[in-house]
Structures are given as C-alpha cells and as structure tokens.
Amino acid sequence: MARFNKKAARAQPTSRVTSTGRVLRSYEGGRGHERDARSELFLLAIANFVSQQTFYESGAARDDRYVRLVRQLAVEDPAWTAGLLGWLRGAGNLRTASIVGAAEYVKARLDAGVTDGPANRQVIASVLRRPDEPGELLGYWTATYGRAVPKPVKRGVADAVQRLYSGKSLLKYDTASKGYRFGDILNLVHAAPDADKPWQGELFRYALDRRHNPDTAVPPASNTVLTAHRELMALPVERRRAVVTSEGGAERLAAAGMTWEALAGWLQGPMDKAAWEAVIPSMGAMALVRNLRNFDQAGVSDEVAAQVAARISDPAEVARSRQFPFRYLAAYQHAPSLRWSYPLEQALGHSLANVPALAGRTLVLVDRSGSMWARLSDRSELNRADAAAIFGAALALRAEQADLVEFGTTSRNLAYDKGESVLKILGRFGDLGGTDTTSAVRAHYRGQDRVLIVTDEQYTFNRHGDPTQQVPAHVPVYTWNLAGYRAGHGPSGKANRHTFGGLSDAAFRMVPLLESARDADWPWVA
C-alpha cells in the first residue's frame, strides 16, 4: 500500500521570504511575525530610500537597521548578500541602498578578517553602474570611515572607472559641485586605462588636467565630443542663441554632448521654445518625462510634442529606462496639458509588463490606511497608498476574474470595467484611516482561488488573529510588502503563505511561478 507517494503528499512550493516562528508586535499592535535576517534585509532593501522618513520609522532608525543587517549577513552569508547588492543596483534600480550596502559589506568583512565568498573588489564594482557613482561611494566611505580607503574599495572603484568613464560622462558628471571630481578619483584609486579602449589614456590625462589646471586644459583631439564641446564653450555669449535657432543646431548640441541641464547656463538666458526644441532630440526618455511641464510653459510646438509623446510611450524606451511605475504617475499628476495624458497612461501600462493574467478568481486587497500615505521619499510627492492602488488595479484588470477591495478601518469593493485605465480606477480609491486587515479579509473572502494583499503589513489587533488565518490553508495568500518594516502580518515561506516586496511590478513574476508548483527563488537566482 502506498504511504507517501500520493498527490496530496506533494510538497507545496515555497517562497524565499521566511518567518522564524517568533511573534512580534506590528506598529499597530497586531500579532506580527518575525522574519529571518535575509528576508528582513531583502524586504527592507527593496523598499528603502536611504535616510528617508517613513510613517513608523525614522530615517536614522531605518538606515541603522539596514546597515546592521548588511554587516551581519556580509559575514554570515557573503554570497547571498553580494547577490542581493548587485541585483539591487541592476534589476532593482536602487542606487543609494546598493552603494551604501556595498561599502558596509566590505567594511564588515575587513573588520571581521574574513576572506571567503565573493571578492570585496567585485562587490564594489557590481553596484557602480553610472559614471557619478564611484564618487558617490567614495563620498560615503570617507564621510563614514575617514579618508583612509582600503585597497579592495580602491580596486573596485578602479574597475568601475575603466568601464564607465568616457567623454560624454565627463561632461555630464564631472562638475564643480562634486566633492570627488573625476581627476580626484583617478588620483586616489590609480585606475589604469582599459586595454580595449586606446582612447581612455588621453581621456584620463585630460580629466586630471581639467581638475588641476582648468584654465589651460585642452581635450584630446581624438575625442570628437570633447573638442566639439570646447568649440561651443569658446563661442561668445552673444552668438550662442543663434546656434539653437539655426538649421542643424540640434545636431550640433548633441555632437557636443550638451545636456539640457547645461544648456541654460551656456546660453546665459532662459530655456525658451527654441532652446527646448533644439535639445529635446538628444534627451533621454526619463529626462523628457521630468520636463513635460517645462515644455508646455515654453510653448513647445505640437509637432515636437508629438515626437516627445512617441518617445515616452514607446515600450522599448520604457523598458530601457527601468523606472518604477509611480514615476509615470507623478508625471501624469503634474503635467499641465492634456497632450501628455494618453502617452503617460500608455507608459504606465508598459511599466507594468510583469503583471500576470491570473486564471480563476482572485481577491485583491489594497491598503489605504493612514501609514500608507507617507511619502516615498523627501523628494517625492508620491506615497505608498497610490503605488499600492496602481499595482492592485493593474492586477485586477488583467486577472480572469477579480474582486478589487480597498481597506483601512473599513473596507469596500471598487467597481471597474475590463479595459479601463489604471489611472481612471486610481481616482476611486480613498483614505480609510486605520489598518484592520483581518476584518477586510473576513468580509471579502468568498472562496476565491487566491488572495493578494498590497500593504505595509502594520495591521491592528483583531481577536480573530492575523489576516492570513482567515483564508483556508489550501488557498495561497500573497502579501506584497511596500515598506519593509520588521514585523510581518502573517507567516511566510511555507504552507501557501508567501511574501514579496518592492516598489516595482517585478514581484508579480513569482505568483505564476509558485502556482505552477515551482519554488520561487531570490530574484537574482531565478
């Protein structure tokens, strides 16, 4: 007689965010669940804008918890931590958290005297993806640990410098406002030119000369971008506006690596219609998105606006920009003219490309409690409540059949039509006060095939227990954590209870993976 090889005995798929079994209290007094160190760090890292205040945690407390976890796991599990940091800067698209994490990873390992696992040098290089980031990392290190920079940090920075420094990057990022100029970094880390880039030696010498002898530094004749830029800079001020208004002016600005940020200073005058129309062709997609209001204020023509609209709504451009969906929401909310509305709506849709079309019936619960209204960062007007609503609405629209619910102190179903705009549905969400997640699940679970809760997990005490206990054990409950606080509102990592996190839609890829009876690994492994 068969005892073990039965259908019912097959192991259930698991996700990697795992509870320890220890009980904590959520910030609202609910019975919380402690996560293991890797899970806590993962959820914190992908929701963390370094030094930013959240509703329940100060920026300093949040940073201290992040640093403590990185330093602990850099010693205990270096390969996993190195993988997290590299992924965080790459697919995760979070610059500051990855740079701080890499610096603390190396410091912890040097302090502990450990040498196993990935090389410190490689971890440093893996998080430096933009030409200004070597200076950012050195700025953090010296501000935190003093001016003595250890060899692994220098070598990792040198590797990144070889990969990142070019004529265009020097013009864009080597500015007087930086604490570490390109020449300072070259002096400090002694980066050798890349053997496969014969032009880089001259570029490095020019960067050093530009730093120490700016009045006499001459760019290498072999670098067409730098020489074209020098020619533009040499033009008398009274002749510069003629460049932007002349035929071929846009091409000349692009050939000289003239950025929109630098153009106004070069012109020593306003960024009017002609100036914007000359520089728009060489602007990146997200620079266009950030400047839609400026284009309208300057009176950019409908013809040029149509070109901008085509760029910002192009699926390939959206994918290449790797921006969070809420960036497009911010632009939509602040762009003054209707000519940008539909392109931004399209771009938002493209940025949600990972949202799956789930079969069967799905209950989607979106947290609209007071804590979710805290801003994502000090520089943003956006909040987690609207981010949650975007993700929840997108999931409901693509699902075969979904109940979309907002909850706080109370809860309610939100009506929507298939094919509706995510942005139109967003306008129906409200502000619902406290966080009674358990009651919301109890009120709206009616035998659906799965439950997905988008939340910060800080629910209030309920005599019926945690939110996940209200759903039968054979029904999967997916929690999408948007804040990274320590306590979870339910167990995770086994028995059909799964937690994801972050502020992009990448986590949605895990739902079909788990439902096809495969374990969901960490995203840099999967």
Side-chain angles (χ1 to χ4, degrees):
M1 178 177 119
R3 295 192 178 191
F4 306 111
N5 189 19
K6 301 177 182 179
K7 276 188 176 181
R10 288 179 61 188
Q12 292 177 330
T14 61
S15 54
R16 287 293 181 259
V17 173
T18 306
S19 302
T20 66
R22 182 171 175 239
V23 175
L24 303 174
R25 286 292 170 189
S26 76
Y27 284 106
E28 288 292 330
R31 188 177 186 273
H33 294 257
E34 181 187 60
R35 302 184 178 99
D36 64 27
R38 294 197 307 177
S39 302
E40 183 182 350
L41 176 58
F42 174 70
L43 291 177
L44 175 59
I46 58 178
N48 189 24
F49 293 90
V50 172
S51 298
Q52 303 300 323
Q53 178 88 18
T54 59
F55 188 85
Y56 293 112
E57 259 183 320
S58 70
R62 202 167 171 84
D63 291 349
D64 287 346
R65 183 159 64 95
Y66 178 65
V67 167
R68 174 180 55 78
L69 288 164
V70 170
R71 290 176 64 88
Q72 173 188 339
L73 290 166
V75 176
E76 294 178 0
D77 198 343
W80 181 90
T81 310
L84 166 67
L85 294 171
W87 173 84
L88 201 63
R89 180 62 191 97
N93 202 25
L94 286 166
R95 297 179 60 223
T96 308
S98 59
I99 288 171
V100 170
E104 295 295 347
Y105 175 98
V106 172
K107 186 65 167 67
R109 290 173 58 75
L110 292 175
D111 288 349
V114 294
T115 57
D116 62 311
N120 292 335
R121 170 182 186 169
Q122 294 170 356
V123 172
I124 293 291
S126 73
V127 303
L128 304 179
R129 307 286 184 97
R130 211 171 74 174
D132 60 330
E133 290 171 2
E136 288 290 306
L137 190 141
L138 290 171
Y140 176 80
W141 185 279
T142 54
T144 308
Y145 296 115
R147 299 196 65 83
V149 180
K151 284 184 179 179
V153 175
K154 289 182 178 180
R155 289 169 178 166
V157 170
D159 293 341
V161 163
Q162 283 186 335
R163 175 167 35 90
L164 297 169
Y165 281 9
S166 66
K168 282 190 176 180
S169 66
L170 181 140
L171 291 175
K172 184 174 178 64
Y173 296 111
D174 184 36
T175 61
S177 64
K178 304 296 185 185
Y180 279 96
R181 300 282 300 276
F182 278 28
D184 299 323
I185 296 168
L186 291 168
N187 273 332
L188 180 60
V189 305
H190 306 295
D194 189 324
D196 295 327
K197 299 175 180 177
W199 48 266
Q200 204 170 55
E202 289 184 326
L203 176 73
F204 285 4
R205 285 190 290 274
Y206 174 60
L208 288 164
D209 203 21
R210 169 185 166 107
R211 177 68 178 100
H212 300 294
N213 305 291
D215 295 332
T216 58
V218 177
S222 59
N223 193 303
T224 57
V225 173
L226 293 176
T227 53
H229 188 269
R230 181 179 175 83
E231 290 173 4
L232 281 183
M233 298 306 293
L235 282 175
V237 173
E238 62 271 15
R239 291 175 52 191
R240 294 178 181 179
R241 187 157 293 276
V243 172
V244 302
T245 58
S246 65
E247 185 177 353
E251 291 79 6
R252 189 173 179 185
L253 293 177
M258 183 67 75
T259 64
W260 69 270
E261 298 98 329
L263 185 56
W266 178 71
L267 288 172
Q268 295 188 26
M271 286 290 287
D272 57 11
K273 174 178 180 290
W276 279 117
E277 292 188 353
V279 78
I280 279 172
S282 58
M283 290 172 66
M286 287 315 296
L288 295 174
V289 169
R290 286 194 297 269
N291 281 287
L292 298 178
R293 176 180 292 274
N294 290 329
F295 299 159
D296 283 344
Q297 290 176 343
V300 166
S301 70
D302 288 340
E303 180 183 1
V304 173
Q307 297 169 9
V308 172
R311 285 272 310 282
I312 65 177
S313 62
D314 178 70
E317 289 278 7
V318 173
R320 193 178 302 117
S321 73
R322 300 188 301 118
Q323 292 297 315
F324 294 130
F326 58 76
R327 304 288 189 198
Y328 298 103
L329 172 61
Y332 180 88
Q333 292 174 336
H334 294 101
S337 99
L338 293 177
R339 61 183 178 180
W340 311 121
S341 299
Y342 184 56
L344 288 170
E345 183 179 319
Q346 289 179 297
L348 177 62
H350 298 324
S351 75
L352 293 166
N354 291 314
V355 176
L358 297 175
R361 297 174 61 208
T362 304
L363 173 59
V364 181
L365 294 135
V366 175
D367 188 346
R368 299 287 287 188
S369 64
S371 62
M372 293 288 286
W373 290 89
R375 292 188 300 171
L376 292 170
S377 77
D378 292 343
R379 294 175 294 176
S380 172
E381 293 300 320
L382 292 172
N383 53 69
R384 288 183 174 83
D386 284 346
I390 286 174
F391 296 137
L395 186 71
L397 284 169
R398 295 198 189 179
E400 181 180 356
Q401 184 180 347
D403 299 298
L404 179 60
V405 173
E406 63 172 345
F407 71 92
T409 304
T410 59
S411 62
R412 69 183 182 107
N413 272 298
L414 291 177
Y416 64 93
D417 295 319
K418 287 292 186 181
E420 252 193 297
S421 160
V422 169
L423 293 169
K424 188 174 180 182
I425 298 172
L426 177 63
R428 297 179 196 143
F429 283 87
D431 181 351
L432 299 185
T435 318
D436 192 355
T437 316
T438 297
S439 291
V441 176
R442 289 176 63 82
H444 298 279
Y445 179 72
R446 295 292 182 269
Q448 291 93 339
D449 298 308
R450 67 188 64 80
V451 176
L452 200 147
I453 310 172
V454 191
T455 177
D456 64 6
E457 296 195 78
Q458 302 310 294
Y459 79 109
T460 192
F461 172 79
N462 189 294
R463 65 186 179 86
H464 295 289
D466 76 54
T468 69
Q469 290 178 281
Q470 316 312 309
V471 180
H474 69 277
V475 176
V477 178
Y478 303 100
T479 296
W480 193 354
N481 181 301
L482 295 186
Y485 295 122
R486 188 180 176 206
H489 69 189
S492 181
K494 60 183 179 180
N496 272 327
R497 300 299 183 254
H498 311 286
T499 301
F500 310 130
L503 293 162
S504 79
D505 66 334
F508 275 129
R509 289 183 298 216
M510 299 295 101
V511 177
L513 187 67
L514 288 163
E515 295 197 351
S516 65
R518 292 170 55 197
D519 290 347
D521 214 329
W522 301 108
W524 55 93
V525 177

